[in-house]
């Protein structure tokens, strides 16, 4: 089901002044849930869930490629929540070829009783500048632009294989 929901990359153009780009994904839970957040950005990023920093695996600045998908677990109450990204503009030898800044998130919420809800990045908003408190759930992002779906960030996900099932049979 995670594979079907997908990890949808959302994008914004790189700013001419090489400033950071900000993304917000608002979502609402009808009741308290154990949540797994899958998050990634195409460049160095800071990520928050409801204003609290999401700890991500260390990715040395000299590494090639993007940092791996971070999988973090949280307990969230009913109501409105937000995943917020501050993605830093790249400063690398290949940066003139890079035309977008992108981020992706998928939330798997275990609602109890075997019911699981999946929330993707569709509906994410983006801006070039963000005031204090922008990473909080109560922030009004009505003036932020809708982020576009990226066509440049293919991601095989989840990162483990889809195993084939076999059933023995005989021909008669």
């Amino acid at each position: 089901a995670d594979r079907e929901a997908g990890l949808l990359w959302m994008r914004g153009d790189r700013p001419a002044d090489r400033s950071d780009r900000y993304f917000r994904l608002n979502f609402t839970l009808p009741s308290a849930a154990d949540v797994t957040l899958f998050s990634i950005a195409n460049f160095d990023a800071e990520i928050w869930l409801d204003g609290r920093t999401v700890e991500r695996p260390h990715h040395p600045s000299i590494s090639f490629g993007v940092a791996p998908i971070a999988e973090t677990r949280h307990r969230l109450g009913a109501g409105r929540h937000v995943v917020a990204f501050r993605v830093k503009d790249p400063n690398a030898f290949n940066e003139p070829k890079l035309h977008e800044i992108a981020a992706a998130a998928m939330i798997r919420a275990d609602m109890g009783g075997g019911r699981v809800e999946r929330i993707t990045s569709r509906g994410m908003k983006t801006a070039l500048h963000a005031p204090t408190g922008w990473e909080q759930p109560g922030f009004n992002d009505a003036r932020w632009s809708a982020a576009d779906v990226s066509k440049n960030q293919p991601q095989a996900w989840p990162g483990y294989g889809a195993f084939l099932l076999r059933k023995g049979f005989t021909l008669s």
Side-chain angles (χ1 to χ4, degrees):
D2 288 347
R3 193 177 307 275
E4 189 176 327
L7 190 63
L8 184 63
W9 284 85
M10 303 303 286
R11 67 168 298 280
D13 291 334
R14 284 186 62 204
D17 67 357
R18 295 182 171 193
S19 60
D20 298 338
R21 182 166 276 285
Y22 300 83
F23 294 90
R24 286 176 49 89
L25 175 63
N26 294 297
F27 64 98
T28 303
L29 293 175
S31 60
D34 290 317
V35 169
T36 303
L37 169 63
F38 300 92
S39 57
I40 190 169
N42 65 336
F43 302 117
D44 191 26
E46 292 176 81
I47 303 172
W48 294 266
L49 176 60
D50 293 344
R52 292 183 308 273
T53 302
V54 172
E55 296 298 325
R56 301 178 66 220
H58 176 67
H59 186 67
S61 60
I62 59 170
S63 298
F64 286 99
V66 300
I69 297 168
E71 180 177 338
T72 56
R73 290 177 175 68
H74 312 270
R75 177 75 181 164
L76 298 179
R80 185 174 180 208
H81 301 278
V82 66
V83 178
F85 292 78
R86 180 174 71 95
V87 185
K88 299 174 185 171
D89 190 78
N91 184 10
F93 72 95
N94 212 17
E95 64 93 15
K97 297 179 183 177
L98 308 171
H99 304 289
E100 72 179 10
I101 294 178
M106 200 275 284
I107 296 111
R108 182 195 312 134
D110 181 352
M111 306 305 295
R115 196 173 110 230
V116 176
E117 290 189 18
R118 287 173 178 80
I119 301 155
T120 68
S121 301
R122 194 169 301 282
M124 192 177 269
K125 293 188 170 192
T126 187
L128 293 178
H129 304 286
T132 301
W134 71 275
E135 73 283 359
Q136 300 294 326
F139 177 76
N140 182 355
D141 59 14
R143 301 183 106 181
W144 286 36
S145 302
D148 299 319
V149 175
S150 173
K151 293 178 178 56
N152 302 312
Q153 305 294 332
Q155 179 71 39
W157 190 76
Y160 45 84
F163 300 100
L164 299 176
L165 299 177
R166 296 185 215 176
K167 177 168 177 56
F169 64 95
T170 57
L171 293 175
S172 53

